[in-house]
Amino acid sequence: MNTESHTPYPYEPEFSLKSLFVSSYSNIKHIFNYKPLLIAAVILGALLGAAAAYFKRPSYTARLTFVIDDSKTGSAGGLAAIAGQFGFNLDGIGGGSGVLSGDNVQELLKSQSLIERTLKTPYDTAGTISLADKYAEVSKLSKSWLKYSKDGKPIRFPVNNANYSRLQDSLLHEMTERILIGDFSISKTDKKLSFFEATATMKDEKLALLFCNRIIKQATEFYISTKTTRIRNNVNRLQHRADSIGTILNHKTYALSSANQLLLDQNPAYTQANANVEVKERDKIVLSTIFTETVKNLEASKTMLAQETPTVTLVDVPELPLKKNKLKYPVTMFSGAFAGFVLMGLFLAVFRKPKQATN
């Protein structure tokens, strides 16, 4: 007679808070049975924290606050301020929807082209070292890049050199990404205001100061140039036209004066001389009218250019000495001691030997 064999299901004990508390209490009691190990782990963690605070190189923070005054965005300023209190953004009203309006200024300062242009500026007065060279040095990137160097020397980035090699461009791009990730930030102090704060944190005090100041200068020049390019080109065109017409008008004036002088010496019976004077006088009148209108349009364009040009005002500029960011011994020692205690406790709990069952 065959009997069917049934495979028993594995037994799973029911979950209960009581068993969880009992198990946790047992683990904690077991951990504190090894007090010498815990004390040793705490002391070792505190010593490692103190060593980290001692050997960690400090960084320096440069902060710069600036405000942008753009007259074209002032028409809806009151409405935008009221709407901003309710969480709405109306920067697009009243001419504020341009490429460089509102929060777009923050993205402009984060552009890689501006950062790379800033890194190519000189670090020293002689212009032999660029900001890129100094940044690579203090960030220990020069040592890691020695494997790319053919002669075994650190890779250099000449000041204001547009003919960088493919390797130099790649390394400069790597520095730019690193700066954007943690070394430079731009924020708006208040959504309803036009105040911006730029912060540069680097391991060299002078480097942080120069980078923060120069990237704002680069962005300001680019911002103003972009906002006024069309009107500035029109002013230059009208100025060139006014200068040309003014030169021709001067020649016509001298020619008319010479014709009038010759008219006095001519025989009144000859009418051709009178006609020549009339033609020259007519040309002068026409040129004078054109010159007057051109100058009028030129002055109107200059006035419009002055109105369209935004003003970037530096409110707070970084000054030496900068804020020094250094790890504090009490914080690092406490953190190290706590981490040592937790890690040793986890080690003792995980590798705890299970109790043998008694018969």
Side-chain angles (χ1 to χ4, degrees):
M1 185 175 181
N2 297 329
T3 58
E4 297 180 355
S5 59
H6 299 279
T7 303
Y9 291 99
Y11 173 74
E12 295 181 0
E14 295 182 358
F15 173 79
S16 64
L17 291 176
K18 181 178 179 181
S19 61
L20 179 62
F21 290 145
V22 171
S23 176
S24 301
Y25 176 76
S26 176
N27 287 331
I28 295 175
K29 186 177 180 181
H30 170 75
I31 291 172
F32 278 98
N33 288 333
Y34 296 88
K35 291 182 180 179
L37 288 178
L38 292 175
I39 294 175
V42 168
I43 295 175
L44 180 61
L47 292 177
L48 291 176
Y54 180 79
F55 290 104
K56 179 68 175 178
R57 186 172 181 177
S59 61
Y60 301 88
T61 301
R63 285 187 174 87
L64 189 148
T65 306
F66 63 97
V67 60
I68 298 178
D69 182 14
D70 192 352
S71 59
K72 297 297 292 183
T73 60
S75 57
L79 180 60
I82 297 175
Q85 298 178 358
F86 298 94
F88 297 100
N89 186 6
L90 298 182
D91 289 340
I93 297 180
S97 58
V99 177
L100 296 178
S101 62
D103 295 337
N104 293 346
V105 176
Q106 297 177 241
E107 297 302 321
L108 170 64
L109 284 168
K110 294 179 182 178
S111 64
Q112 293 186 353
S113 60
L114 283 182
I115 294 179
E116 291 180 359
R117 200 180 306 169
T118 304
L119 289 175
K120 294 178 182 179
T121 57
Y123 175 81
D124 55 348
T125 55
T128 57
I129 303 176
S130 64
L131 296 187
D133 293 331
K134 192 62 178 180
Y135 182 83
E137 176 187 344
V138 299
S139 301
K140 304 298 179 62
L141 293 176
S142 298
K143 295 182 179 180
S144 62
W145 291 343
L146 286 176
K147 56 185 177 181
Y148 302 119
S149 178
K150 296 180 180 180
D151 55 0
K153 297 181 180 179
I155 299 174
R156 311 292 295 180
F157 300 89
V159 176
N160 296 326
N161 188 359
N163 298 322
Y164 279 180
S165 64
R166 181 184 180 91
L167 177 60
Q168 288 173 320
D169 287 335
S170 300
L171 298 180
L172 193 63
H173 182 72
E174 182 179 341
M175 279 191 290
T176 301
E177 290 183 344
R178 181 166 178 168
I179 290 174
L180 286 174
I181 291 175
D183 295 335
F184 178 74
S185 64
I186 177 71
S187 60
K188 205 170 184 180
T189 57
D190 195 325
K191 293 183 178 180
K192 299 186 291 294
L193 302 177
S194 299
F195 285 85
F196 296 89
E197 183 182 74
T199 304
T201 302
M202 298 180 180
K203 295 181 180 179
D204 183 81
E205 189 175 25
K206 183 179 177 181
L207 177 63
L209 177 69
L210 293 178
F211 183 86
C212 189
N213 286 332
R214 289 180 183 172
I215 194 172
I216 298 300
K217 181 180 179 182
Q218 295 279 353
T220 300
E221 294 176 354
F222 179 83
Y223 180 82
I224 295 177
S225 175
T226 304
K227 293 280 287 185
T228 61
T229 296
R230 179 179 58 84
I231 302 178
R232 190 178 300 276
N233 291 337
N234 188 41
V235 169
N236 294 334
R237 181 179 60 83
L238 289 174
Q239 184 68 57
H240 178 71
R241 185 179 182 185
D243 295 339
S244 301
I245 296 176
T247 302
I248 298 174
L249 183 60
N250 291 336
H251 290 304
K252 291 293 183 181
T253 302
Y254 289 123
L256 178 60
S257 178
S258 300
N260 287 327
Q261 184 66 32
L262 292 175
L263 183 61
L264 296 176
D265 299 332
Q266 290 289 337
N267 190 342
Y270 295 98
T271 59
Q272 184 178 0
N274 294 330
N276 188 24
V277 172
E278 290 180 2
V279 170
K280 292 182 179 299
E281 186 174 359
R282 181 194 61 193
D283 292 341
K284 179 185 176 182
I285 294 174
V286 172
L287 282 175
S288 298
T289 305
I290 297 175
F291 181 74
T292 302
E293 293 298 324
T294 302
V295 172
K296 185 186 300 183
N297 293 334
L298 175 61
E299 294 301 322
S301 297
K302 287 182 178 180
T303 303
M304 186 180 300
L305 176 62
Q307 294 176 349
E308 290 281 349
T309 301
T311 303
V312 179
T313 305
L314 301 181
V315 180
D316 293 324
V317 295
E319 296 179 352
L320 297 177
L322 299 179
K323 178 185 177 183
K324 188 176 182 180
N325 306 311
K326 186 174 177 60
L327 295 178
K328 297 181 179 179
Y329 284 98
V331 176
T332 56
M333 292 179 66
F334 176 79
S335 301
F338 181 76
F341 177 82
V342 172
L343 291 177
M344 180 56 69
L346 291 176
F347 176 80
L348 295 174
V350 171
F351 293 95
R352 178 184 180 183
K353 295 182 179 179
K355 295 181 178 180
Q356 295 182 354
T358 58
N359 293 330

Coordinates of all heavy atoms in Angstrom, one line a residue, residues 185-251:
S185 N 28.5 78.8 -6.6 CA 27.0 78.8 -6.6 C 26.5 80.2 -6.7 O 27.2 81.2 -6.3 CB 26.5 78.2 -5.3 OG 26.9 79.0 -4.2
I186 N 25.3 80.3 -7.3 CA 24.7 81.6 -7.5 C 23.2 81.5 -7.1 O 22.6 80.5 -7.5 CB 24.8 82.1 -8.9 CG1 24.0 83.4 -9.1 CG2 24.4 81.1 -9.9 CD1 24.7 84.6 -8.5
S187 N 22.8 82.4 -6.3 CA 21.4 82.3 -5.7 C 20.8 83.6 -5.6 O 21.5 84.7 -5.7 CB 21.4 81.6 -4.4 OG 22.1 82.3 -3.4
K188 N 19.5 83.6 -5.6 CA 18.7 84.9 -5.4 C 18.3 85.0 -4.0 O 17.7 84.1 -3.4 CB 17.5 84.9 -6.3 CG 17.0 86.2 -6.8 CD 16.0 86.1 -7.8 CE 15.5 87.5 -8.3 NZ 14.5 87.4 -9.4
T189 N 18.7 86.1 -3.4 CA 18.4 86.3 -1.9 C 16.9 86.4 -1.7 O 16.4 86.0 -0.6 CB 19.1 87.6 -1.4 OG1 18.7 88.7 -2.2 CG2 20.6 87.4 -1.5
D190 N 16.1 87.0 -2.6 CA 14.7 87.1 -2.4 C 14.1 87.0 -3.8 O 14.5 87.7 -4.8 CB 14.3 88.4 -1.8 CG 12.9 88.5 -1.3 OD1 12.0 87.9 -1.9 OD2 12.6 89.1 -0.2
K191 N 13.0 86.2 -4.0 CA 12.4 86.0 -5.3 C 11.7 87.3 -5.8 O 11.6 87.5 -7.0 CB 11.3 84.9 -5.2 CG 11.9 83.5 -5.0 CD 10.8 82.5 -5.0 CE 11.5 81.1 -4.8 NZ 10.4 80.1 -4.8
K192 N 11.4 88.2 -4.9 CA 10.7 89.4 -5.3 C 11.7 90.6 -5.6 O 11.3 91.6 -6.0 CB 9.7 89.9 -4.1 CG 8.6 88.9 -3.8 CD 7.6 89.4 -2.8 CE 8.2 89.5 -1.5 NZ 8.6 88.2 -0.9
L193 N 12.9 90.3 -5.3 CA 14.0 91.4 -5.5 C 14.9 90.9 -6.6 O 14.9 89.8 -7.1 CB 14.7 91.7 -4.2 CG 13.9 92.1 -3.0 CD1 14.7 92.3 -1.8 CD2 13.1 93.4 -3.3
S194 N 15.8 91.9 -7.0 CA 16.8 91.6 -8.1 C 18.2 91.4 -7.5 O 19.1 91.7 -8.2 CB 16.7 92.7 -9.1 OG 15.5 92.8 -9.7
F195 N 18.3 91.0 -6.2 CA 19.6 90.8 -5.6 C 20.0 89.4 -5.8 O 19.3 88.4 -5.6 CB 19.5 91.1 -4.1 CG 19.4 92.6 -3.8 CD1 18.2 93.3 -3.8 CD2 20.6 93.3 -3.5 CE1 18.2 94.6 -3.5 CE2 20.5 94.7 -3.2 CZ 19.3 95.3 -3.2
F196 N 21.3 89.3 -6.2 CA 21.9 87.9 -6.4 C 23.1 87.8 -5.6 O 23.8 88.8 -5.3 CB 22.3 87.7 -7.9 CG 21.1 87.7 -8.8 CD1 20.6 88.9 -9.4 CD2 20.4 86.6 -9.2 CE1 19.5 88.9 -10.3 CE2 19.4 86.5 -10.0 CZ 18.9 87.7 -10.6
E197 N 23.4 86.6 -5.1 CA 24.6 86.3 -4.3 C 25.4 85.2 -4.9 O 24.9 84.1 -5.2 CB 24.2 85.9 -2.9 CG 25.4 85.7 -2.0 CD 25.0 85.3 -0.6 OE1 24.6 84.1 -0.4 OE2 25.1 86.1 0.4
A198 N 26.6 85.6 -5.3 CA 27.6 84.6 -5.8 C 28.6 84.2 -4.8 O 29.1 85.0 -4.0 CB 28.3 85.2 -7.0
T199 N 28.8 82.8 -4.7 CA 29.7 82.3 -3.6 C 30.7 81.4 -4.3 O 30.3 80.5 -5.1 CB 28.9 81.5 -2.6 OG1 27.9 82.4 -2.0 CG2 29.8 81.0 -1.5
A200 N 32.0 81.6 -4.0 CA 33.1 80.8 -4.5 C 33.8 80.2 -3.2 O 34.3 81.0 -2.4 CB 34.0 81.5 -5.4
T201 N 33.9 78.9 -3.1 CA 34.6 78.3 -2.0 C 35.7 77.4 -2.6 O 35.5 76.4 -3.3 CB 33.6 77.4 -1.2 OG1 32.6 78.2 -0.7 CG2 34.4 76.7 0.0
M202 N 37.0 77.8 -2.3 CA 38.1 77.1 -2.8 C 39.2 77.0 -1.8 O 39.1 77.7 -0.7 CB 38.7 77.9 -4.1 CG 37.7 77.9 -5.2 SD 38.3 78.7 -6.7 CE 36.9 78.6 -7.8
K203 N 40.2 76.2 -2.0 CA 41.3 75.9 -1.0 C 42.4 76.9 -1.1 O 43.4 76.7 -0.4 CB 41.8 74.5 -1.2 CG 40.8 73.4 -1.0 CD 41.3 72.1 -1.2 CE 40.2 71.0 -0.9 NZ 40.8 69.6 -1.1
D204 N 42.3 78.0 -1.8 CA 43.2 79.1 -1.8 C 42.5 80.4 -1.7 O 41.5 80.6 -2.4 CB 44.1 79.1 -3.1 CG 45.1 80.1 -3.1 OD1 46.2 79.9 -2.5 OD2 44.9 81.2 -3.7
E205 N 42.9 81.2 -0.7 CA 42.2 82.4 -0.4 C 42.2 83.4 -1.6 O 41.1 83.9 -2.0 CB 42.8 83.1 0.8 CG 42.0 84.2 1.4 CD 42.6 84.8 2.7 OE1 43.8 84.6 2.9 OE2 41.8 85.4 3.5
K206 N 43.3 83.7 -2.2 CA 43.4 84.6 -3.3 C 42.6 84.1 -4.5 O 42.0 84.8 -5.2 CB 44.8 84.8 -3.7 CG 45.1 85.9 -4.8 CD 46.5 86.1 -5.0 CE 46.7 87.1 -6.2 NZ 48.2 87.3 -6.5
L207 N 42.7 82.8 -4.7 CA 42.0 82.2 -5.9 C 40.5 82.3 -5.7 O 39.8 82.7 -6.7 CB 42.3 80.7 -6.0 CG 41.6 79.9 -7.0 CD1 42.0 80.4 -8.4 CD2 42.0 78.4 -6.9
A208 N 40.0 82.1 -4.6 CA 38.5 82.3 -4.4 C 38.1 83.7 -4.6 O 37.1 84.0 -5.2 CB 38.1 81.8 -2.9
L209 N 38.9 84.7 -4.1 CA 38.6 86.1 -4.2 C 38.6 86.5 -5.7 O 37.7 87.2 -6.2 CB 39.6 86.9 -3.4 CG 39.5 88.4 -3.6 CD1 38.2 88.9 -2.9 CD2 40.7 89.1 -2.9
L210 N 39.7 86.1 -6.4 CA 39.8 86.5 -7.8 C 38.7 85.9 -8.7 O 38.1 86.5 -9.6 CB 41.2 86.1 -8.4 CG 42.4 86.9 -7.8 CD1 43.7 86.4 -8.4 CD2 42.3 88.4 -8.0
F211 N 38.4 84.6 -8.4 CA 37.4 83.9 -9.3 C 36.1 84.5 -9.1 O 35.3 84.8 -10.0 CB 37.4 82.4 -8.9 CG 36.4 81.6 -9.7 CD1 36.8 81.1 -10.9 CD2 35.1 81.4 -9.3 CE1 35.9 80.4 -11.7 CE2 34.2 80.7 -10.1 CZ 34.6 80.2 -11.3
C212 N 35.7 84.8 -7.8 CA 34.4 85.4 -7.6 C 34.2 86.8 -8.2 O 33.2 87.1 -8.8 CB 34.2 85.5 -6.0 SG 32.5 85.9 -5.6
N213 N 35.3 87.6 -8.1 CA 35.2 89.0 -8.7 C 35.2 88.9 -10.2 O 34.4 89.6 -10.9 CB 36.4 89.8 -8.2 CG 36.2 90.2 -6.7 OD1 35.1 90.4 -6.2 ND2 37.3 90.4 -6.0
R214 N 36.0 88.1 -10.8 CA 36.2 88.1 -12.2 C 35.0 87.4 -13.0 O 34.7 87.9 -14.1 CB 37.5 87.5 -12.6 CG 38.7 88.3 -12.2 CD 40.0 87.7 -12.6 NE 41.1 88.5 -12.2 CZ 42.4 88.1 -12.2 NH1 42.7 86.9 -12.7 NH2 43.4 89.0 -11.8
I215 N 34.4 86.4 -12.4 CA 33.3 85.8 -13.1 C 32.1 86.8 -13.1 O 31.3 86.8 -14.1 CB 32.9 84.5 -12.5 CG1 32.0 83.7 -13.4 CG2 32.3 84.7 -11.1 CD1 31.7 82.3 -13.0
I216 N 32.0 87.6 -12.1 CA 30.9 88.6 -12.1 C 31.3 89.7 -13.1 O 30.4 90.2 -13.9 CB 30.8 89.3 -10.7 CG1 30.3 88.2 -9.7 CG2 29.8 90.4 -10.7 CD1 29.0 87.5 -10.0
K217 N 32.5 90.0 -13.3 CA 32.9 91.0 -14.3 C 32.7 90.5 -15.7 O 32.1 91.2 -16.5 CB 34.4 91.4 -14.1 CG 34.9 92.4 -15.1 CD 36.4 92.7 -14.9 CE 36.9 93.7 -15.9 NZ 38.3 94.0 -15.7
Q218 N 33.0 89.2 -15.9 CA 32.8 88.6 -17.2 C 31.3 88.5 -17.5 O 30.9 88.9 -18.7 CB 33.4 87.2 -17.2 CG 34.9 87.1 -17.1 CD 35.6 87.4 -18.4 OE1 35.0 87.5 -19.4 NE2 36.9 87.4 -18.3
A219 N 30.5 88.2 -16.5 CA 29.1 88.1 -16.8 C 28.4 89.4 -17.0 O 27.5 89.6 -17.8 CB 28.4 87.4 -15.6
T220 N 28.9 90.5 -16.3 CA 28.4 91.8 -16.4 C 28.6 92.3 -17.8 O 27.7 92.9 -18.5 CB 29.0 92.7 -15.4 OG1 28.7 92.3 -14.1 CG2 28.5 94.2 -15.6
E221 N 29.9 92.1 -18.3 CA 30.2 92.6 -19.7 C 29.4 91.9 -20.7 O 28.9 92.5 -21.7 CB 31.7 92.4 -19.9 CG 32.6 93.3 -19.1 CD 34.1 93.0 -19.3 OE1 34.4 92.0 -20.0 OE2 34.9 93.7 -18.7
F222 N 29.2 90.6 -20.6 CA 28.4 89.8 -21.5 C 27.0 90.2 -21.4 O 26.3 90.3 -22.5 CB 28.6 88.3 -21.2 CG 27.8 87.4 -22.1 CD1 28.3 87.1 -23.4 CD2 26.6 86.9 -21.7 CE1 27.6 86.2 -24.2 CE2 25.8 86.1 -22.6 CZ 26.3 85.7 -23.8
Y223 N 26.5 90.4 -20.2 CA 25.1 90.8 -20.0 C 24.7 92.1 -20.7 O 23.8 92.2 -21.5 CB 24.8 90.8 -18.5 CG 23.4 91.2 -18.2 CD1 22.3 90.2 -18.2 CD2 23.0 92.5 -17.8 CE1 21.0 90.6 -17.8 CE2 21.7 92.8 -17.5 CZ 20.7 91.9 -17.5 OH 19.5 92.2 -17.1
I224 N 25.5 93.1 -20.4 CA 25.3 94.4 -21.0 C 25.5 94.4 -22.5 O 24.7 95.0 -23.2 CB 26.2 95.5 -20.3 CG1 25.9 95.6 -18.8 CG2 26.1 96.8 -21.0 CD1 26.8 96.5 -18.1
S225 N 26.5 93.7 -23.0 CA 26.7 93.6 -24.4 C 25.6 93.0 -25.1 O 25.2 93.4 -26.2 CB 28.0 92.9 -24.7 OG 28.2 92.7 -26.1
T226 N 25.0 91.9 -24.5 CA 23.9 91.2 -25.2 C 22.7 92.0 -25.2 O 21.9 92.0 -26.2 CB 23.7 89.8 -24.5 OG1 24.9 89.1 -24.5 CG2 22.6 89.0 -25.1
K227 N 22.4 92.7 -24.1 CA 21.2 93.5 -24.0 C 21.2 94.7 -24.9 O 20.1 95.2 -25.3 CB 21.0 94.0 -22.5 CG 20.7 92.8 -21.5 CD 19.3 92.4 -21.6 CE 18.4 93.4 -20.9 NZ 17.0 92.9 -20.8
T228 N 22.3 95.2 -25.3 CA 22.4 96.5 -26.0 C 23.0 96.3 -27.4 O 23.4 97.3 -28.0 CB 23.2 97.5 -25.2 OG1 24.5 97.0 -25.0 CG2 22.6 97.8 -23.9
T229 N 23.2 95.1 -27.9 CA 23.9 94.9 -29.1 C 23.2 95.6 -30.3 O 23.8 96.3 -31.1 CB 24.1 93.4 -29.4 OG1 24.9 92.8 -28.4 CG2 24.7 93.1 -30.8
R230 N 21.9 95.4 -30.4 CA 21.1 95.9 -31.5 C 21.1 97.4 -31.6 O 21.4 98.0 -32.6 CB 19.7 95.4 -31.5 CG 18.8 95.9 -32.6 CD 17.4 95.3 -32.4 NE 16.8 95.7 -31.1 CZ 16.2 96.8 -30.9 NH1 16.1 97.7 -31.9 NH2 15.7 97.1 -29.7
I231 N 20.9 98.0 -30.4 CA 20.9 99.5 -30.4 C 22.3 100.1 -30.5 O 22.4 101.1 -31.2 CB 20.2 100.0 -29.1 CG1 18.8 99.4 -28.9 CG2 20.2 101.5 -29.0 CD1 18.1 99.8 -27.6
R232 N 23.3 99.4 -30.0 CA 24.6 99.9 -30.1 C 25.1 99.8 -31.6 O 25.8 100.8 -32.1 CB 25.6 99.1 -29.2 CG 27.0 99.7 -29.1 CD 27.8 98.8 -28.2 NE 27.2 98.8 -26.9 CZ 27.4 99.7 -25.9 NH1 28.2 100.7 -26.2 NH2 26.9 99.6 -24.7
N233 N 24.7 98.8 -32.3 CA 25.0 98.7 -33.7 C 24.4 99.8 -34.5 O 24.9 100.4 -35.4 CB 24.6 97.3 -34.3 CG 25.5 96.2 -33.7 OD1 26.6 96.4 -33.3 ND2 25.0 95.0 -33.8
N234 N 23.1 100.1 -34.1 CA 22.4 101.2 -34.8 C 23.1 102.6 -34.5 O 23.2 103.4 -35.4 CB 21.0 101.2 -34.3 CG 20.1 102.2 -35.1 OD1 20.2 102.3 -36.3 ND2 19.2 102.9 -34.4
V235 N 23.5 102.8 -33.3 CA 24.2 104.0 -32.9 C 25.5 104.1 -33.7 O 25.9 105.2 -34.3 CB 24.5 104.1 -31.4 CG1 25.5 105.2 -31.1 CG2 23.2 104.2 -30.7
N236 N 26.3 103.0 -33.8 CA 27.5 103.1 -34.6 C 27.3 103.4 -36.1 O 28.0 104.1 -36.7 CB 28.3 101.7 -34.5 CG 28.7 101.5 -33.0 OD1 29.0 102.5 -32.3 ND2 28.9 100.3 -32.7
R237 N 26.2 102.8 -36.6 CA 25.9 103.0 -38.0 C 25.5 104.5 -38.3 O 26.0 105.1 -39.2 CB 24.7 102.1 -38.5 CG 24.3 102.3 -39.9 CD 23.2 101.3 -40.2 NE 22.0 101.6 -39.4 CZ 21.1 102.5 -39.6 NH1 21.2 103.3 -40.7 NH2 20.1 102.6 -38.8
L238 N 24.7 105.0 -37.4 CA 24.3 106.4 -37.5 C 25.5 107.4 -37.3 O 25.6 108.4 -37.9 CB 23.1 106.8 -36.5 CG 21.8 106.2 -36.8 CD1 20.8 106.4 -35.7 CD2 21.2 106.7 -38.2
Q239 N 26.4 107.0 -36.4 CA 27.5 107.8 -36.1 C 28.4 107.9 -37.4 O 29.0 108.9 -37.8 CB 28.3 107.3 -34.9 CG 29.5 108.1 -34.5 CD 29.1 109.5 -34.0 OE1 28.3 109.6 -33.0 NE2 29.6 110.5 -34.6
H240 N 28.6 106.7 -38.0 CA 29.4 106.7 -39.2 C 28.8 107.5 -40.3 O 29.5 108.2 -41.1 CB 29.6 105.2 -39.6 CG 30.4 105.0 -40.9 ND1 31.7 105.3 -41.0 CD2 30.0 104.7 -42.2 CE1 32.1 105.1 -42.2 NE2 31.1 104.7 -43.0
R241 N 27.5 107.4 -40.5 CA 26.8 108.1 -41.5 C 26.9 109.6 -41.2 O 27.1 110.4 -42.2 CB 25.3 107.7 -41.5 CG 24.5 108.3 -42.7 CD 23.1 107.8 -42.7 NE 22.4 108.4 -43.8 CZ 21.1 108.2 -44.0 NH1 20.4 107.5 -43.2 NH2 20.5 108.8 -45.0
A242 N 26.7 110.0 -40.0 CA 26.8 111.5 -39.6 C 28.2 112.0 -39.9 O 28.4 113.1 -40.4 CB 26.4 111.7 -38.2
D243 N 29.2 111.2 -39.6 CA 30.6 111.7 -39.8 C 30.8 111.8 -41.3 O 31.5 112.8 -41.8 CB 31.6 110.7 -39.2 CG 31.5 110.7 -37.7 OD1 31.0 111.6 -37.1 OD2 31.9 109.6 -37.1
S244 N 30.3 110.9 -42.1 CA 30.5 110.9 -43.6 C 29.8 112.1 -44.2 O 30.4 112.9 -45.0 CB 30.0 109.6 -44.2 OG 30.7 108.5 -43.7
I245 N 28.6 112.3 -43.8 CA 27.8 113.5 -44.3 C 28.4 114.8 -43.9 O 28.5 115.8 -44.6 CB 26.3 113.4 -43.9 CG1 25.7 112.1 -44.5 CG2 25.5 114.6 -44.3 CD1 24.2 111.9 -44.0
G246 N 28.9 114.8 -42.6 CA 29.5 116.0 -42.1 C 30.8 116.4 -42.9 O 31.1 117.6 -43.2
T247 N 31.6 115.4 -43.3 CA 32.8 115.6 -44.1 C 32.4 116.2 -45.5 O 33.0 117.1 -46.0 CB 33.6 114.3 -44.2 OG1 33.9 113.8 -42.9 CG2 34.9 114.6 -45.0
I248 N 31.4 115.5 -46.1 CA 30.9 116.0 -47.4 C 30.4 117.4 -47.3 O 30.6 118.3 -48.2 CB 29.9 115.0 -48.0 CG1 30.5 113.6 -48.2 CG2 29.4 115.5 -49.3 CD1 29.5 112.6 -48.6
L249 N 29.6 117.7 -46.3 CA 29.1 119.0 -46.1 C 30.1 120.1 -45.9 O 30.0 121.2 -46.4 CB 28.1 119.0 -44.9 CG 27.4 120.3 -44.6 CD1 26.5 120.7 -45.8 CD2 26.5 120.2 -43.3
N250 N 31.2 119.7 -45.3 CA 32.3 120.7 -45.1 C 32.9 121.0 -46.5 O 33.3 122.2 -46.8 CB 33.4 120.1 -44.2 CG 32.9 120.1 -42.8 OD1 32.0 120.8 -42.4 ND2 33.5 119.2 -42.0
H251 N 33.1 120.0 -47.3 CA 33.7 120.2 -48.7 C 32.7 121.1 -49.5 O 33.2 122.0 -50.2 CB 33.9 118.9 -49.4 CG 35.0 118.1 -48.8 ND1 36.3 118.6 -48.7 CD2 35.1 116.8 -48.3 CE1 37.1 117.7 -48.2 NE2 36.4 116.6 -47.9

